[in-house]
Amino acid sequence: MNTDHHLAFLGIATGETGSRCVVCGRNIDSDNYHVDRYNRRACTCHNVQCCCFCGRIIGNDAVDVPYFGTACGRCGSERSYDELETIRTFCYSFFASHKLYLPAVRICLLSAEEMQLAHGSPEGTPRGVASRNSSGYRIDLMRQLSRIGMAKTLAHELAHLWQWHRNIDAPHTYCEGFCNLVASLVVSQISKTEALVILHQMMENPDPAYGAAFRELKIVYDIHGWQTLIEAMKTFQDRS
Ligand SMILES: [Zn+2]
Ligand SMILES: [Zn+2]
Ligand SMILES: [Zn+2]
């Protein structure tokens, strides 16, 4: 499952003037303004919101995402199966090049509402869920994610599949931490500001599994490399 906290970050900055406000379109003539991690700016007189998926300040293209929040237009527009195919190919190339073999899986796009009905809990609506039953593996992804957000979520869920397929039964924290490490490595191949924002958020996530265990495994990976990390995960293999 993937329930990472939102990317919203908003600060009041003081700096150069003359940039355009993403809400009203006027030049910001004060040296005080709202600013997000993309360096998009808005006048302090607006009651600004950040996109629940990518964290951008929302201009005039707010889209209500039921059960989830308010998204910017680029995230709120739903991803198509054609886009998913491009994202899937991108994620699979990472798994292939790291010798993580994946079982066959059916990947489905669900609206936020459908996601809530199928997998919602009091903690919220997940962005992605992997499941397995007698008919095989399945991954459900929220359609409204940004492309990079979807790549991150899909990579995370595929890492669950790899663990199940290899009978790796790690404690919850390492299970999710490993999935987030894989997701971070996939996202780090994308040279876009949003990828940096996502990586920043992952590094700051206070959650014991998605944050702390992820960072612990990242240190193993950074110092000892990929092979050592995989060997460490395989110590949780159930050989019974
Ligand atoms: Zn997960
Ligand atoms: Zn403005
Ligand atoms: Zn967005």
Side-chain angles (χ1 to χ4, degrees), residues 7 38 50-58 61 70-76 144-146 194:
L7 296 166
Y38 299 82
C50 289
C51 172
C52 60
F53 294 116
C54 69
R56 284 182 181 83
I57 291 177
I58 302 173
D61 55 350
T70 307
C72 71
R74 47 194 291 169
C75 295
Q144 283 99 336
L145 297 173
S146 64
E194 189 184 338

Side-chain angles (χ1 to χ4, degrees), residues 193-213:
T193 307
E194 189 184 338
L196 293 175
V197 170
I198 287 175
L199 292 170
H200 184 98
Q201 179 267 346
M202 295 178 87
M203 289 306 288
E204 308 238 301
N205 191 340
D207 187 90
Y210 296 94

Side-chain angles (χ1 to χ4, degrees), residues 100-199:
L100 294 181
Y101 298 106
L102 292 167
V105 56
R106 189 172 157 223
I107 305 173
C108 302
L109 295 176
L110 271 65
S111 69
E113 210 157 1
E114 291 165 334
M115 211 62 193
Q116 167 66 21
L117 287 173
H119 308 290
S121 75
E123 289 105 78
T125 311
R127 293 151 200 239
V129 174
S131 58
R132 53 181 162 172
N133 61 29
S134 53
S135 57
Y137 295 106
R138 174 179 165 139
I139 291 175
D140 290 341
L141 297 172
M142 195 187 288
R143 296 192 86 108
Q144 283 99 336
L145 297 173
S146 64
R147 288 177 191 82
I148 300 174
M150 190 167 278
K152 181 205 165 205
T153 306
L154 179 57
H156 178 106
E157 300 307 332
L158 289 171
H160 276 303
L161 246 63
W162 177 79
Q163 292 182 70
W164 289 340
H165 194 57
R166 301 294 301 241
N167 280 327
I168 292 171
D169 189 16
H172 168 74
T173 49
Y174 289 120
C175 172
E176 297 296 348
F178 175 76
C179 292
N180 258 11
L181 179 65
V182 170
S184 76
L185 293 172
V186 168
V187 169
S188 67
Q189 296 180 332
I190 304 167
S191 52
K192 288 261 175 22
T193 307
E194 189 184 338
L196 293 175
V197 170
I198 287 175
L199 292 170

